[in-house]
Amino acid sequence: MADTKQQFEHIIGICRELFAKKLHDYGAAWRIMRPSSITDQLFIKANRIRSIEIKGIAFVNEGIRSELIGIVNYGIIGLIQLELGYTDKTDLTEQQALELYDRYSKEALQLMLKKNHDYDEAWRSMRTTSYTDLILMKIYRTKQIESLSGNTLVSEGIDANYLDMINYSVFGLIKLEYGE
């Protein structure tokens, strides 16, 4: 499990580096996004991954790897927005945004370690296409929870779904980076 933790941290480092660069270029412009818009952005990325997996070709010069990184980063943005709410302005400094990013990436890591312990790294035997399907399922669950204004009977909240999407994406990125 030590390798999994190191691999996870390495992948999050790659995602964070891109997040920081975009934060530098655009600021925290994503602060204006409502949670439902973030869910739709996650859907676009996951749906594109599935499309590439099925068709076997991408016409846009960004592949599955960049979309998985996008899901990690938008998942973390979603968690930040759930905590802070959306605004009409970019009200976070780069440093504040990165601190929040680090907090939520650590939360995702801790959740992964707990589940990984209980499931004995079953994710390593899964097909990467299953991660895509699971992410899409989590997105549809999130959309339903949003439609219910969060009033569920027995389900985990939107934050739990975002965390799972992040972790499935990291698993896919680990397999792309390190192989099966």
Side-chain angles (χ1 to χ4, degrees), residues 3-141:
D3 285 342
T4 299
K5 182 177 186 284
Q6 291 169 335
Q7 290 171 346
F8 187 102
E9 290 171 337
H10 172 74
I11 294 299
I12 286 294
I14 291 168
C15 297
R16 186 187 190 277
E17 181 179 347
L18 180 62
F19 182 85
K21 287 177 179 176
K22 288 191 175 195
L23 195 56
H24 173 270
D25 290 352
Y26 305 130
W30 45 266
R31 286 288 291 130
I32 68 157
M33 294 180 77
R34 292 170 283 188
S36 59
S37 297
I38 294 166
T39 303
D40 286 343
Q41 188 64 31
L42 289 162
F43 172 76
I44 289 167
K45 295 192 167 304
N47 198 60
R48 182 165 184 269
I49 292 169
R50 187 170 168 145
S51 175
I52 293 168
E53 289 170 346
I54 291 169
K55 295 173 185 169
I57 189 166
F59 287 166
V60 176
N61 194 21
E62 289 183 341
I64 290 172
R65 182 178 187 273
S66 65
E67 299 296 359
L68 288 170
I69 291 170
I71 292 171
V72 170
N73 288 343
Y74 273 105
I76 291 174
I77 287 169
L79 292 167
I80 293 169
Q81 293 297 83
L82 287 175
E83 176 185 340
L84 301 180
Y86 64 91
T87 76
D88 292 330
K89 57 186 185 286
T90 57
D91 61 348
L92 292 178
T93 66
E94 286 182 40
Q95 183 62 35
Q96 290 169 321
L98 289 171
E99 287 171 6
L100 288 163
Y101 187 98
D102 292 341
R103 179 162 49 106
Y104 283 112
S105 66
K106 284 182 179 118
E107 186 176 329
L109 171 63
Q110 292 307 311
L111 177 64
M112 183 279 297
L113 290 172
K114 289 176 187 175
K115 286 186 175 185
N116 207 35
H117 173 270
D118 290 353
Y119 290 98
D120 288 327
E121 297 210 329
W123 66 271
R124 290 199 183 267
S125 298
M126 293 171 60
R127 296 173 186 93
T128 55
T129 53
S130 293
Y131 304 144
T132 306
D133 292 347
L134 288 166
I135 292 166
L136 281 165
M137 179 190 66
K138 294 288 182 176
I139 291 167
Y140 282 110
R141 286 180 175 184

